[in-house]
């Protein structure tokens, strides 16, 4: 680096260079712990002990049982851009380790008092050096078990502005805990112990299976509900059910070749996998381990090494999204509830019988579940329908021609009739279309004139359109001849429908993701929405029973296909509390 002063250009002193580098690498005590932790893991440690005082501002000490550092290499360990992890430019494109830049110890030493003590196996004793203000002491022998111990005192003592930037003790400790937990999940074979002020605050024993370590870090209650992703040689992971969510992305834990990362491509893929199963704006909970060839990724994006670039981000996006969708689909494969409907003066009947045969003429679509042409109830006179579900009696009635109130054993459920019916239809449509969306042939093929951008997308997306249910041919310059559309969309403007789909395909292509499965799902969601009973439509007692029965059979009835809530629940205890009843 060079410095310009009064028209003169001069080389910056090494210590100042390291302080500038520290501004990027070392932001707070958690940054120091992260760098030392990753060095220990790279050294093959199986036990790592972290000691802290004043949230790491006064003292950070990391001790490991790794391979250690040779005495002759100790001064190099704290020198800038000195590393054992790279030998050539080619190594930069196939990084196997967590660290590789050779900046961490030099940067830490430039803004603290650093004490480095290490011993390799076979040595009689360890050797110790001290680094402060750009100077490194001579090595001194000292007793230590094989491994390395690095002590960092008075962080930012010589950078007052940066020290004032630090938060309080508890806040800095919480950041360290969060960082250690991420690495503990990433490396369940390694043991981690954190103590603060002499008291142990975190402890994870070595050699734990993934699920056990996840339970230790994230909690056993959550771990017991996790759904496994389908097995793959490139992906291992678990997701929480859709009803478990967070307000931010803090519940997404992603690891690439053992490295914790915060990657927008993977995060977006997980959220897309949950689309239609979770309320929009909520974030899913997932633990995902990606194992990819080092040459297919670039981790040299930012000094913190939390950001990465994929050689083919669309492949990664598709891999993760499809795994999440398959896991949610497999979790839905449960036997239907044995529910029984009881109406006044009507014999009980099993609800497991298919309803489509009775009501297909109602909507002209074989998967509809409500027989709306039945006599409708007056919106001002709720009709109570008694229903047995799992030998438990529930009662239901409609209010304001929009909601169904269901009385169950443990409380009341208020159902949005349109949202619930939409979800029931959507799940039944998916179940009946394993081979893809059926096409509806148009009686008269319709020409659609496209602008240059739309025409280019059409040419590139012919196969995708066919998979979605479109049969489209070229019909002269910039004119597409539409012969069929996805079944259920024949009443829509063919011109507008094709343009909308091409726009969505182009948007997905620009975003670097294979958007076809998502687009197919959105078309099905739209179809279910069109077919569902609307708010403001009064229902007969039988139609109410059909809805309640369909709810019992649905996989995820609490949200509509778009993720909006379909029901609200309040227990009897909560009602009693609200009315101040004991």
């Amino acid at each position: 680096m060079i410095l310009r002063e009064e028209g003169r250009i001069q080389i910056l002193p090494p210590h100042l260079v390291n302080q500038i580098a520290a501004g990027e690498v070392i932001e707070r005590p958690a940054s120091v712990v992260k760098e030392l932790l990753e060095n220990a893991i790279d050294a093959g440690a199986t036990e790592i002990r972290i000691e802290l005082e004043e949230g790491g501002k006064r003292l950070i000490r990391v001790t490991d049982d790794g391979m250690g550092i040779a005495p002759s290499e100790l001064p190099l360990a704290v020198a800038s851009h000195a590393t054992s992890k790279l030998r050539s430019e080619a190594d930069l494109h196939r990084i196997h380790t967590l660290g590789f830049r050779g900046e961490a110890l030099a940067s830490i030493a430039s803004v603290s008092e650093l004490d480095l003590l290490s011993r390799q196996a076979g040595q009689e004793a360890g050797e110790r050096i001290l680094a402060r203000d750009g100077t490194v002491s001579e090595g001194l022998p000292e007793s230590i078990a094989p491994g390395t111990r690095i002590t960092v005192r008075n962080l930012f003592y010589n950078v007052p502005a940066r020290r004032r930037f630090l938060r309080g003790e508890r806040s800095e400790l919480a950041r360290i805990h969060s960082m250690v937990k991420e690495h503990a999940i990433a490396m369940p074979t390694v043991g981690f112990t954190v103590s603060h002020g002499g008291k142990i605050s975190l402890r994870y024993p070595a050699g734990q299976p993934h699920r056990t370590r996840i339970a230790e870090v994230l909690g056993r209650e959550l771990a017991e509900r996790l759904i496994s992703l389908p097995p793959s040689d490139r992906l291992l992971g678990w997701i929480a059910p859709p009803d478990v969510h967070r307000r931010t992305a803090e519940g997404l834990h992603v690891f690439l070749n053992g490295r914790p990362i915060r990657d927008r491509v993977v995060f977006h893929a997980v959220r897309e996998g949950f689309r239609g199963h979770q309320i929009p704006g909520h974030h899913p909970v997932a633990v995902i381990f990606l194992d990819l060839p080092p040459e297919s990724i670039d981790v040299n994006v930012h000094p913190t090494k939390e950001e990465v670039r994929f050689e083919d981000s669309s492949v990664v996006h598709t891999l993760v999204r499809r795994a999440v969708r398959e896991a949610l689909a497999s979790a839905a494969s449960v036997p239907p509830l044995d529910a029984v409907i009881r109406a006044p003066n009507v014999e009980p009947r099993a609800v497991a019988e298919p309803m489509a045969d009775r009501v297909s003429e109602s909507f002209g679509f074989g998967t509809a579940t409500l027989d709306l042409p039945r006599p409708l109830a007056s919106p001002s006179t709720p009709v109570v329908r008694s229903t047995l579900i799992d030998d438990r009696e529930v009662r239901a009635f409609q209010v304001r021609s929009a909601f169904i109130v269901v009385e169950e054993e443990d409380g009341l459920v208020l159902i949005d009739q349109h949202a619930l019916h939409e979800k029931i239809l959507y799940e039944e449509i998916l179940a009946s279309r394993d081979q893809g969306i059926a096409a509806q042939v148009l009686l008269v093929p319709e020409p659609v004139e496209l602008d240059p951008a739309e025409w280019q997308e059409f040419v590139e997306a012919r196969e995708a359109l066919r998979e979605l249910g479109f049969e489209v041919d070229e019909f002269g310059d910039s004119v597409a001849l539409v012969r069929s559309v996805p079944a259920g969309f024949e009443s829509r403007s063919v011109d507008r429908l094709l343009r909308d789909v091409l726009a969505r395909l182009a948007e997905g292509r620009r975003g670097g993701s294979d958007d076809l499965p998502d687009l197919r799902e959105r078309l099905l969601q739209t179809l279910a929405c069109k077919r569902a009973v609307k708010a403001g439509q009064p229902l007969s007692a039988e139609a109410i029973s059909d809805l309640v029965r369909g709810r019992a059979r649905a996989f995820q009835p609490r949200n509509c296909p778009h993720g909006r809530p379909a029901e609200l629940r309040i227990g009897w205890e909560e009602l009693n509390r609200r009315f101040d009843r004991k």
Side-chain angles (χ1 to χ4, degrees):
M1 284 192 178
I2 55 178
L3 174 68
R4 185 182 184 95
E5 182 181 356
E6 295 181 353
R8 298 176 57 192
I9 298 175
Q10 56 186 349
I11 303 295
L12 291 176
H15 184 58
L16 182 54
V17 171
N18 290 334
Q19 284 194 335
I20 293 173
E24 294 183 331
V25 180
I26 309 302
E27 298 178 346
R28 55 188 352 106
S31 307
V32 175
V33 177
K34 175 180 181 293
E35 297 295 338
L36 301 184
L37 200 65
E38 291 182 349
N39 280 346
I41 293 172
D42 286 341
T46 59
E47 290 285 348
I48 301 175
R49 188 171 70 252
I50 302 165
E51 302 168 72
L52 306 165
E53 292 183 11
E54 294 183 11
K57 291 183 285 187
R58 183 167 181 267
L59 173 76
I60 297 171
R61 178 178 290 124
V62 177
T63 306
D64 68 65
D65 61 353
M67 67 179 66
I69 305 172
S72 61
E73 296 180 354
L74 286 178
L76 280 176
V78 295
S80 179
H81 303 299
T83 179
S84 63
K85 300 163 187 177
L86 295 178
R87 286 291 181 270
S88 67
E89 181 181 347
D91 292 339
L92 194 60
H93 304 293
R94 51 172 184 268
I95 295 173
H96 296 267
T97 55
L98 298 180
F100 58 89
R101 290 174 175 269
E103 292 180 314
L105 289 182
S107 297
I108 295 170
S110 71
V111 292
S112 70
E113 301 168 356
L114 187 143
D115 181 332
L116 171 58
L117 173 60
S118 191
R119 174 189 168 192
Q120 292 185 315
Q123 289 182 309
E124 293 184 0
E127 187 150 315
R128 177 185 183 187
I129 62 171
L130 303 175
R132 178 173 178 173
D133 292 332
T135 62
V136 180
S137 70
E138 294 290 331
L140 297 174
E142 187 166 324
S143 177
I144 185 179
T148 300
R149 186 182 74 197
I150 299 178
T151 304
V152 177
R153 293 185 173 86
N154 301 320
L155 183 63
F156 299 135
Y157 78 96
N158 55 354
V159 190
R162 181 61 62 89
R163 189 170 181 86
R164 287 194 298 270
F165 171 78
L166 297 179
R167 300 291 182 88
E169 180 177 309
R170 291 186 179 181
S171 179
E172 296 298 340
L173 179 61
R175 289 174 180 267
I176 294 173
H177 280 178
S178 177
M179 184 276 305
V180 173
K181 288 178 179 180
E182 288 293 293
H183 285 76
I185 297 175
M187 296 289 174
T189 58
V190 179
F192 297 84
T193 302
V194 179
S195 62
H196 186 253
K199 297 181 180 179
I200 293 177
S201 53
L202 292 178
R203 173 178 285 168
Y204 304 117
Q208 292 184 311
H210 276 103
R211 288 293 293 263
T212 303
R213 177 59 63 84
I214 291 171
E216 290 274 343
V217 177
L218 301 182
R220 297 192 180 278
E221 183 177 349
L222 172 62
E224 290 173 357
R225 299 196 61 196
L226 291 177
I227 304 167
S228 298
L229 296 182
S232 166
D233 58 353
R234 295 181 295 171
L235 179 67
L236 172 72
W238 297 265
I239 57 174
D243 62 296
V244 178
H245 48 75
R246 300 289 184 267
R247 293 183 179 274
T248 66
E250 64 181 9
L252 290 175
H253 306 272
V254 179
F255 308 93
L256 174 60
N257 298 348
R259 179 192 308 278
I261 63 172
R262 310 291 295 178
D263 182 76
R264 64 181 183 86
V265 171
V266 181
F267 281 15
H268 183 266
V270 175
R271 288 193 292 267
E272 287 297 294
F274 272 86
R275 182 185 292 276
H277 293 269
Q278 205 161 56
I279 299 174
H282 289 189
H283 295 264
V285 174
V287 181
I288 295 177
F289 300 87
L290 287 166
D291 186 8
L292 303 177
E295 59 271 16
S296 71
I297 56 178
D298 180 8
V299 298
N300 190 25
V301 177
H302 190 274
T304 62
K305 303 184 290 291
E306 289 186 346
E307 300 177 24
V308 298
R309 291 195 184 101
F310 299 104
E311 183 178 54
D312 193 336
S313 59
S314 65
V315 171
V316 176
H317 189 279
T318 300
L319 173 69
V320 174
R321 185 189 60 211
R322 288 181 176 173
V324 172
R325 299 299 295 184
E326 289 178 23
L328 290 172
S330 65
S333 300
V334 296
L337 297 173
D338 293 324
V340 174
I341 301 292
R342 255 202 195 101
N345 304 319
V346 177
E347 289 297 319
R349 64 186 181 193
V351 301
E353 66 180 24
M355 288 183 282
D357 292 342
R358 295 186 290 111
V359 299
S360 60
E361 70 278 9
S362 301
F363 295 136
F365 191 75
T367 56
T369 56
L370 288 186
D371 191 0
L372 293 180
R374 292 168 175 166
L376 301 177
S378 168
S380 61
T381 310
V383 176
V384 179
R385 168 67 77 196
S386 295
T387 307
L388 284 179
I389 299 180
D390 270 355
D391 296 327
R392 291 178 297 142
E393 183 179 20
V394 299
R395 293 190 297 172
F397 59 91
Q398 186 187 35
V399 294
R400 298 187 66 84
S401 299
F403 304 100
I404 306 297
V405 179
V406 178
E407 178 187 348
E408 294 184 337
E409 183 178 8
D410 56 351
L412 293 177
V413 180
L414 184 62
I415 297 171
D416 182 320
Q417 64 188 37
H418 172 74
L420 174 60
H421 191 210
E422 186 181 1
K423 187 56 173 284
I424 293 170
L425 286 172
Y426 176 70
E427 292 185 6
E428 292 184 349
I429 292 170
L430 288 179
S432 67
R433 299 199 173 197
D434 293 335
Q435 302 305 317
I437 294 182
Q440 176 64 51
V441 178
L442 300 178
L443 292 176
V444 179
E446 184 167 337
V448 178
E449 186 172 352
L450 303 174
D451 64 31
E454 292 171 334
W455 179 258
Q456 181 64 32
E457 186 63 35
F458 161 68
V459 172
E460 295 180 1
R462 292 281 290 275
E463 189 59 35
L465 289 170
R466 186 174 293 109
E467 187 174 341
L468 289 168
F470 289 93
E471 192 66 38
V472 191
D473 296 326
E474 295 184 21
F475 191 63
D477 293 338
S478 301
V479 178
L481 186 65
V482 182
R483 300 184 182 276
S484 69
V485 296
F489 289 86
E490 55 273 15
S491 61
R492 279 196 60 182
S493 165
V494 174
D495 179 283
R496 181 175 298 176
L497 178 62
L498 179 60
R499 292 178 187 277
D500 286 348
V501 171
L502 289 174
R504 289 183 181 274
L505 287 172
E507 181 182 354
R509 198 185 304 277
R510 288 193 299 270
S513 66
D514 175 13
D515 205 39
L516 185 59
D518 175 54
L519 181 55
R520 186 189 303 111
E521 289 169 17
R522 293 192 187 191
L523 287 174
L524 293 180
Q525 291 168 1
T526 301
L527 181 57
C529 184
K530 287 178 58 180
R531 300 296 186 184
V533 61
K534 302 299 186 289
Q537 189 166 358
L539 303 179
S540 67
E542 290 79 7
I544 293 172
S545 293
D546 283 348
L547 255 185
V548 174
R549 182 168 65 183
R551 171 177 171 266
R553 289 162 46 196
F555 158 56
Q556 229 285 5
R558 294 187 177 181
N559 301 97
C560 78
H562 303 94
R564 292 188 293 271
E567 62 180 50
L568 300 174
R569 179 182 298 270
I570 183 167
W572 300 123
E573 290 185 3
E574 176 65 12
L575 274 176
N576 285 331
R577 187 185 69 80
R578 293 290 184 94
F579 285 101
D580 198 24
R581 290 181 176 271
K582 302 299 183 181

